[in-house]
């Protein structure tokens, strides 16, 4: 309906079993430039209302078959016809009958016999009220939509700020840790080579001396027994080898830290995805080990041959960290509750990568065989601040930030597939294009 009450686009449905009443009402309505639609019973009135969508209905109460009250009741239960204002026409003067009609959903009553001037005045009033109501509803809907968009934009901005701050802080922290680790590692590596050479020389000297001087005095013999020279000679190379392996492990951790938190926020760079996943696994290696609650988490890697991807490596590594850490948390909780212990399943984390030539993209699958996620929770896992973890164990931002990194920053996709009791799988799709 339009605001102009003289518009010929306004349609009034007249419902009365008396043809004379319909004719009089139609003539009165035509003087206002409105179009009259007519029905002589309740069933046809409902049918016309559904397909013609009149702006207002004048409905007689006393009709054979379906009376006005039941007709109005059915109109108000239909989503299509419910908003149409209904005015009853009746010879009934009892207030209880009028109250009954208003309770059903009518907006007014016109008492027969009626005056044309009164009918037109009431029609104009309710057409105007209807128009104002619809205009108000439309404005409320528009404002609600604007507020919803503003809220989404605010949440997105908050996530960007949180993510940028986290990445900046993490980058500074890791850079400092890497620097502090590298200095002693370099010192130990440099000296370990000399220690091995010195030790080898001393052991050769001891061996040669024992061969050249088989006769030894009692004091030397006592010392040899005290230090268990034979075991010392056998075990010392093993100790040095263990030290060297420990240094190699420290170097791997240091490299993983540098790979994990690369300072590349400004622009995309070419990055090998497998390096990011492996560096994340290295940093979480201590959490993959078995504990008093559960056995060691088995990691299965099925890597395809991937070409480097233009991306923000530090941010992608943050996604890998969030997803893998969440899987470990899920295993811990599953075994703590006893669910996974009862099933006797070995906790397994499967990592798969492959290239989708048709979509010019790569896919990364991160799958666990834990307890899975309920459908009602799956629908909300990417919502900011939503978490199922106990207080103090999670902020609810990890997956929301991961979604923003993949979808907004990399124009990719992230999906969650899960069945309770079967496990959870996250699928990340990243385009191979060079857009930045």
């Amino acid at each position: 309906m339009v605001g102009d009450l003289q518009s010929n686009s306004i349609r009034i449905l007249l419902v009365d079993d008396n043809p004379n009443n319909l004719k009089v009402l139609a003539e009165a309505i035509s003087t206002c430039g409105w179009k009259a639609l007519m029905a002589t019973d309740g069933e046809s009135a409902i049918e016309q209302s559904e397909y013609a969508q009149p702006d207002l209905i004048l409905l007689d109460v006393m009709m054979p078959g379906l009376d006005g009250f039941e007709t109005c009741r059915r109109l108000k239960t239909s989503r299509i016809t419910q908003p149409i204002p209904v005015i009853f026409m009746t010879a009934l003067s009892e207030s209880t009958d009028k109250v009954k009609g208003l309770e059903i959903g009518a907006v007014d009553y016109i008492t027969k016999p009626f005056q044309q001037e009164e009918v037109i005045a009431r029609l104009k009033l309710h057409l105007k009220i209807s128009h104002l109501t619809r205009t108000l509803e439309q404005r409320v809907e528009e404002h609600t939509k604007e507020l919803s968009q503003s809220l989404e934009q605010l949440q997105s901005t908050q996530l960007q700020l949180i993510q940028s701050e986290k990445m900046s802080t993490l980058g500074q922290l890791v850079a400092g840790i890497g620097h502090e680790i590298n200095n002693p590692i370099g010192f130990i590596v440099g000296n370990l080579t000399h220690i091995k050479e010195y030790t080898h020389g001393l052991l050769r000297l001891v061996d040669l001396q024992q061969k050249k001087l088989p006769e030894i005095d009692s004091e030397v013999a006592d010392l040899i027994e005290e230090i268990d020279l034979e075991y010392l000679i056998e075990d010392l190379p093993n100790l040095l080898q263990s030290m060297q392996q420990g240094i190699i492990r420290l170097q791997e951790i240091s490299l993983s830290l540098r790979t994990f938190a690369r300072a590349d926020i400004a622009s995309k760079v070419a990055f090998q995805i497998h390096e990011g996943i492996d560096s994340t696994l290295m940093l979480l290696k201590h959490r993959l080990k078995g504990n008093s609650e559960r056995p060691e988490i088995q990691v299965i890697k099925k890597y395809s041959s991937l070409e480097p991807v233009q991306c923000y490596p530090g941010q992608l590594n943050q996604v890998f960290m969030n997803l893998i850490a969440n899987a470990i948390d899920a295993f811990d909780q599953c075994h703590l509750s006893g669910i996974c212990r009862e099933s006797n399943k070995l906790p397994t984390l499967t990592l798969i990568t492959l290239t989708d030539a048709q979509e010019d993209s790569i896919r990364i699958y991160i799958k666990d065989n834990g307890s899975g996620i309920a459908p009602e929770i799956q629908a909300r896992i990417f919502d900011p601040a939503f978490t199922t973890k106990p207080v103090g164990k999670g902020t609810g931002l990890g997956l929301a930030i991961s979604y923003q990194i993949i979808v907004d920053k990399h124009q990719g996709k992230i999906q969650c597939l899960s069945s309770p009791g079967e496990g959870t799988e996250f699928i990340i799709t990243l385009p191979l294009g060079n857009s930045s």
Side-chain angles (χ1 to χ4, degrees):
M1 197 191 91
V2 296
D4 183 5
L5 296 183
Q6 302 301 320
S7 171
N8 57 12
S9 65
I10 294 176
R11 293 171 297 175
I12 310 293
L13 175 60
L14 308 175
V15 187
D16 198 318
D17 61 326
N18 187 323
N20 290 329
N21 288 341
L22 291 177
K23 180 180 179 182
V24 171
L25 288 170
E27 289 176 353
I29 286 172
S30 65
T31 62
C32 297
W34 304 334
K35 182 177 181 180
L37 308 174
M38 299 183 193
T40 56
D41 59 76
E43 293 287 356
S44 60
I46 294 171
E47 185 178 346
Q48 279 204 67
S49 297
E50 289 178 344
Y51 74 78
Q53 289 287 288
D55 297 289
L56 191 145
I57 300 173
L58 269 177
L59 177 61
D60 186 27
V61 172
M62 304 301 293
M63 293 187 297
L66 207 63
D67 67 10
F69 291 136
E70 182 59 27
T71 301
C72 182
R73 186 180 291 109
R74 294 191 187 183
L75 288 169
K76 294 303 174 181
T77 56
S78 168
R79 182 183 60 84
I80 299 173
T81 58
Q82 188 274 333
I84 304 172
V86 175
I87 298 177
F88 276 128
M89 300 182 293
T90 180
L92 300 173
S93 58
E94 293 291 334
S95 61
T96 53
D97 293 317
K98 293 183 178 180
V99 169
K100 179 181 178 181
L102 294 172
E103 286 179 345
I104 292 172
V107 295
D108 204 350
Y109 264 93
I110 297 175
T111 305
K112 295 180 180 180
F114 44 73
Q115 298 293 323
Q116 288 191 12
E117 294 80 4
E118 180 189 2
V119 173
I120 296 302
R122 288 180 183 269
L123 290 179
K124 285 183 177 180
L125 173 63
H126 288 291
L127 285 170
K128 187 173 183 180
I129 291 174
S130 177
H131 170 66
L132 291 174
T133 301
R134 294 183 188 183
T135 302
L136 180 61
E137 289 175 349
Q138 184 179 356
R139 289 180 180 176
V140 169
E141 184 178 349
E142 289 173 355
H143 286 310
T144 302
K145 186 176 180 181
E146 290 173 2
L147 286 172
S148 178
Q149 291 174 343
S150 297
L151 179 59
E152 289 179 4
Q153 187 175 1
L154 177 60
Q155 289 177 333
S156 176
T157 303
Q158 286 176 327
L159 284 177
Q160 288 180 12
L161 289 172
I162 292 169
Q163 181 219 332
S164 298
E165 183 64 25
K166 285 181 69 174
M167 291 303 295
S168 175
T169 303
L170 181 62
Q172 294 173 8
L173 178 63
V174 169
I177 293 174
H179 179 72
E180 292 298 321
I181 290 178
N182 280 335
N183 283 339
I185 286 178
F187 174 79
I188 295 172
V189 169
N191 286 291
L192 188 60
T193 302
H194 298 305
I195 291 173
K196 290 177 71 174
E197 292 177 359
Y198 298 161
T199 303
H200 182 64
L202 289 172
L203 292 179
R204 285 176 57 203
L205 175 61
V206 170
D207 182 58
L208 181 61
Q209 190 171 26
Q210 285 181 325
K211 290 178 180 177
K212 295 291 185 180
L213 302 171
E215 297 290 334
I216 54 175
D217 60 31
S218 59
E219 187 177 355
V220 173
D222 289 343
L223 181 59
I224 289 174
E225 184 177 355
E226 179 185 339
I227 65 174
D228 195 354
L229 180 61
E230 184 178 351
Y231 177 76
L232 187 151
I233 292 172
E234 179 184 348
D235 193 49
L236 188 55
N238 295 332
L239 291 177
L240 292 172
Q241 182 63 29
S242 296
M243 290 173 63
Q244 187 169 25
Q245 290 175 351
I247 291 299
I248 292 172
R249 167 75 174 148
L250 282 173
Q251 287 177 317
E252 289 174 347
I253 292 173
S254 178
L255 178 61
S256 295
L257 285 170
R258 293 198 301 273
T259 302
F260 178 79
R262 292 179 54 171
D264 52 17
I265 306 302
S267 61
K268 292 181 179 179
V269 296
F271 181 62
Q272 176 51 256
I273 293 296
H274 297 154
E275 292 181 12
I277 299 174
D278 289 341
S279 69
T280 305
L281 290 172
M282 176 67 72
L283 296 177
L284 291 172
K285 191 171 184 179
H286 67 288
R287 293 199 59 201
L288 295 168
K289 295 178 180 178
N291 54 43
S292 59
E293 297 295 337
R294 61 158 174 78
E296 180 179 358
I297 298 172
Q298 306 297 311
V299 177
I300 299 174
K301 294 192 288 188
K302 299 178 181 179
Y303 290 168
S304 301
S305 178
L306 299 181
E307 59 182 275
V309 179
Q310 290 291 326
C311 64
Y312 301 99
Q315 295 183 27
L316 279 187
N317 290 337
Q318 186 182 1
V319 174
F320 301 148
M321 176 66 77
N322 287 337
L323 297 182
I324 295 174
N326 279 351
I328 297 172
D329 290 340
F331 280 131
D332 290 343
Q333 185 61 34
C334 186
H335 281 80
L336 188 63
S337 65
I339 298 174
C340 288
R341 284 201 299 269
E342 292 172 2
S343 65
N344 287 325
K345 288 191 298 186
L346 281 176
T348 304
L349 181 67
T350 305
L351 305 164
I352 304 172
T353 63
L354 55 85
T355 301
D356 189 330
Q358 288 186 334
E359 294 188 6
D360 193 28
S361 63
I362 65 165
R363 289 185 184 174
I364 304 147
Y365 299 81
I366 299 177
K367 183 178 182 180
D368 67 66
N369 65 341
S371 56
I373 304 173
E376 62 272 15
I377 295 177
Q378 284 186 56
R380 299 188 60 196
I381 59 172
F382 294 115
D383 292 350
F386 176 76
T387 180
T388 58
K389 296 178 182 178
V391 176
K393 294 292 185 180
T395 62
L397 295 175
L399 289 178
I401 288 175
S402 298
Y403 183 91
Q404 187 183 68
I405 289 173
I406 298 300
V407 177
D408 296 341
K409 292 288 187 178
H410 292 87
Q411 294 75 52
K413 292 185 291 186
I414 180 169
Q415 301 169 263
C416 175
L417 305 176
S418 185
S419 299
E422 297 296 325
T424 302
E425 179 178 37
F426 284 91
I427 306 172
I428 298 171
T429 305
L430 294 172
L432 283 170
N434 296 324
S435 62
S436 57

